[in-house]
Amino acid sequence: AELNLANTDPDLIRVFIECLQDIGVAKDRLRITIRIYEDINKNKAMAYWANVIGIPKSQILGVNILKGKKIGKLKYGMCRIRVTKGAQYFKILKSVIELVKVSV
């Protein structure tokens, strides 16, 4: 199983990063890419997501630029976070989610 999250919500991205850190995933194990539309400024989007995650902009490995315009809907595009060799962490997070579901 691969452990990754792709989303446009910066709060969800922050919570995901915090959870990963809580279970021992170092930020250097993260592979970050973003997806933007061609009318979104690439450098601003990279700086935005780097700030959200708390990493240098240089740690964003790639930017996928899609044709079309989405101003207003996706101001900074979508961020994808992948954990290298993340199967064990996927199992841990899945267990935590099950525990939370039971306790609610």
Side-chain angles (χ1 to χ4, degrees):
E2 187 176 281
L3 178 56
N4 68 69
L5 173 73
N7 209 280
T8 60
D9 182 348
D11 293 326
L12 180 59
I13 297 293
R14 280 187 198 99
V15 168
F16 185 65
I17 295 294
E18 286 177 27
C19 288
L20 291 176
Q21 288 179 308
D22 287 348
I23 62 172
V25 177
K27 284 187 179 177
D28 64 356
R29 301 262 323 267
L30 304 178
R31 300 298 175 256
I32 314 296
T33 57
I34 62 174
R35 177 177 286 173
I36 59 174
Y37 284 91
E38 59 191 349
D39 60 342
I40 294 173
N41 182 293
K42 176 182 171 181
N43 287 326
K44 285 184 182 178
M46 289 176 70
Y48 175 80
W49 289 114
N51 183 54
V52 165
I53 297 166
I55 58 168
K57 196 165 76 166
S58 60
Q59 196 173 336
I60 296 176
L61 299 177
V63 179
N64 184 4
I65 301 173
L66 304 173
K67 296 226 179 270
K69 297 184 179 191
K70 290 291 180 182
I71 286 185
K73 291 184 180 178
L74 302 172
K75 188 173 181 181
Y76 297 105
M78 180 177 64
C79 180
R80 178 175 184 237
I81 301 164
R82 185 174 57 86
V83 179
T84 59
K85 298 181 182 176
Q88 73 185 38
Y89 298 110
F90 176 77
K91 291 174 186 172
I92 292 168
L93 284 178
K94 194 170 178 182
S95 297
V96 170
I97 290 168
E98 289 304 316
L99 286 171
V100 170
K101 285 175 18 181
V102 170
S103 67
V104 173

